[in-house]
Amino acid sequence: RSVTAVFVPVGPVNCQITAPSRVPQGRHFPVVVRIRDGNWDIDPVRQAPVTVRSGAAHPDTVFRISRGAGTGVLRSSAASDFVLSAASADAPEARRTVSVPASWPSMDVSGTLPAGETVWDASTDRVVTSELTVPAGSSLVIRRGTWVLIRKNVNIKIRGSLVVEGTENDPVLFVPENSLFAADAVVG
C-alpha cells in the first residue's frame, strides 16, 4: 500500500518544504524551501526571505530565497515529534511533521559489499566507518528515508552501480557522523 501526496495550489504563490520525515534528537538535518507559483513551477523571481519555524526543535530561522529556493541546516533539539513550517509575507504557510524517535538502530558498514544487490532501507541508519566499495557488477540500492552517516576522511567507491531512491517527502541523507556542518539530501 502506498500514499501519494497531491499538491493543490492554495494561491498564486506557495511555499514547499523538503526535509526528512525522521530526525534523531540532536542531529543536524537539511531543509529546502521552494517558492512555487500557481502552476507549481519554481518562481525564479521570488527573492523574499522565508521564516522557518520548528517549535521546540530549533529557534526560528530565516532562509534567504534566491531564484525561488533557499536551503539551510537545522538541528533537532526536540525530544518529541515537531512541526516544521515555512511562510513568507506573500505565500501561505507550508507544514511538515517530523518524527523524533526515542532511539534508532544503526549498523556499521565498511569494506567491499557482496556480489549482487545490497539494499539499505530506513529501518536502520548506516554508519560508514572506513572505506566502502560497491564492486563491479554489484549494486547498492538506498531506499527513501535512509540516513547514511560517514566518518571523517572515509570514501565510498562505486565500481558497480548506486541507486538512490529518495523522494521529496523522504530524502536519502548523506551526513558526516560527528559534524555540525553540511548535510546532503538526495531526492531520486
Side-chain angles (χ1 to χ4, degrees):
R1 183 171 183 222
S2 65
V3 176
T4 302
V6 177
F7 171 71
V8 178
V10 293
V13 179
N14 303 279
C15 272
Q16 174 196 20
I17 299 174
T18 299
S21 60
R22 171 185 60 90
V23 178
Q25 184 177 5
R27 188 157 304 155
H28 288 81
F29 63 98
V31 177
V32 177
V33 177
R34 294 180 185 94
I35 304 299
R36 296 196 178 263
D37 63 21
N39 294 320
W40 202 232
D41 294 323
I42 293 177
D43 187 343
V45 175
R46 298 291 168 182
Q47 304 292 326
V50 171
T51 301
V52 177
R53 293 184 172 83
S54 55
H58 190 277
D60 290 355
T61 304
V62 175
F63 282 25
R64 181 176 166 266
I65 300 297
S66 178
R67 301 175 63 88
T71 63
V73 176
L74 302 178
R75 182 176 180 270
S76 170
S77 57
S80 62
D81 298 357
F82 62 92
V83 174
L84 194 61
S85 66
S88 70
D90 60 349
E93 180 180 71
R95 300 170 65 86
R96 172 143 177 81
T97 300
V98 178
S99 167
V100 181
S103 64
W104 201 262
S106 67
M107 174 189 300
D108 291 351
V109 293
S110 63
T112 301
L113 293 179
E117 182 178 89
T118 299
V119 177
W120 293 353
D121 64 26
S123 66
T124 303
D125 291 346
R126 299 316 191 282
V127 182
V128 182
T129 58
S130 62
E131 185 169 288
L132 178 72
T133 301
V134 179
S138 296
S139 64
L140 172 59
V141 178
I142 305 176
R143 302 273 192 231
R144 65 186 191 169
T146 302
W147 285 71
V148 180
L149 293 87
I150 303 171
R151 289 217 173 128
K152 186 175 182 178
N153 300 319
V154 168
N155 295 308
I156 300 175
K157 294 183 177 180
I158 309 300
R159 306 270 192 254
S161 66
L162 173 65
V163 179
V164 180
E165 299 178 342
T167 66
E168 283 187 11
N169 288 326
D170 278 317
V172 169
L173 288 109
F174 293 87
V175 298
E177 182 185 29
N178 294 311
S179 176
L180 303 179
F181 301 102
D184 290 321
V186 178
V187 176

